[in-house]
């Protein structure tokens, strides 16, 4: 049985050469990196946090600059609000902000810990969130059913 002539565009097989193989593996494949979760800051129980942080609580609230909301004095200012203590609820902060923002309804206020932190719910206390004096909070407007653009 003789070899057939190569098809057009193919090279004839080289004599005494094994068919093409992948090079032999040299050791083990590189280890996969372990996924490292960012360390979750431990949150103290509310009672312990209250004990460690007695006295008044000063919160800085960053008001956005929004000309469409001039009726609520959205001039890009920072308001400082003093609450009796860390046991106070977020709703108490909203009530203190209301007269400072030209009677903005508290149910329209959306508060969030600055730098992408948690949104604050009315029934949470500052102690349950472990928020101390000097905490910076961003104010936004709760909008419902926005039209798609």
């Amino acid at each position: 049985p003789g070899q057939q002539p190569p098809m057009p565009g193919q090279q004839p097989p080289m004599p005494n050469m094994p068919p093409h193989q992948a090079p032999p593996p040299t050791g083990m494949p590189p280890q996969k990196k372990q996924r490292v979760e960012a360390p979750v800051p431990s949150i103290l129980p509310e009672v312990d946090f209250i004990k460690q942080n007695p006295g008044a609580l000063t919160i800085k609230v960053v008001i956005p600059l929004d000309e469409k909301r001039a009726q609520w004095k959205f001039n890009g200012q920072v308001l400082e609000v003093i609450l009796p203590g860390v046991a106070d609820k977020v709703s108490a902060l909203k009530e203190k902000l209301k007269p400072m923002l030209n009677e903005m309804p508290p149910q329209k206020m959306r508060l969030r810990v600055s730098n992408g932190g948690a949104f604050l719910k009315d029934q949470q206390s500052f102690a349950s969130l472990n928020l101390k004096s000097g905490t910076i909070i961003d104010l936004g407007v709760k909008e419902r059913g926005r039209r798609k653009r």
Side-chain angles (χ1 to χ4, degrees):
Q3 288 187 339
Q4 295 182 342
M7 295 288 286
Q10 284 189 335
Q11 294 183 350
M14 297 289 285
N16 303 329
M17 287 289 290
H20 181 72
Q21 289 182 341
T26 54
M28 298 295 292
Q31 287 267 320
K32 288 185 178 176
K33 286 187 179 175
Q34 287 287 330
R35 187 183 283 188
V36 180
E37 298 292 325
V40 178
S42 58
I43 292 198
L44 287 172
E46 193 170 355
V47 264
D48 296 342
F49 193 82
I50 291 169
K51 284 179 196 162
Q52 288 182 15
N53 296 281
L57 172 70
T58 304
I59 299 287
K60 293 180 194 284
V61 182
V62 179
I63 311 301
L65 176 59
D66 188 348
E67 290 159 16
K68 292 183 233 141
R69 308 218 188 270
Q71 80 272 22
W72 290 327
K73 301 181 185 170
F74 277 27
N75 304 323
Q77 72 273 39
V78 176
L79 300 176
E80 202 169 86
V81 180
I82 298 169
L83 294 169
V86 291
D88 280 314
K89 302 221 179 294
V90 171
S91 53
L93 173 63
K94 288 183 175 185
E95 285 302 323
K96 289 227 176 198
L97 285 171
K98 185 179 172 182
M100 297 176 178
L101 297 172
N102 202 22
E103 300 304 309
M104 177 182 185
Q107 64 272 18
K108 287 274 190 192
M109 296 179 194
R110 188 173 70 183
L111 299 173
R112 182 178 194 176
V113 178
S114 226
N115 297 327
F119 286 102
L120 308 184
K121 295 178 178 70
D122 289 355
Q123 295 310 308
Q124 291 175 309
S125 72
F126 289 95
S128 70
L129 297 160
N130 282 197
L131 298 179
K132 300 178 182 177
S133 273
T135 298
I136 299 172
I137 292 177
D138 296 325
L139 173 76
V141 179
K142 269 190 204 167
E143 294 190 41
R144 299 190 52 152
R146 288 193 292 194
R147 279 186 277 146
K148 293 181 178 139
R149 297 176 201 247

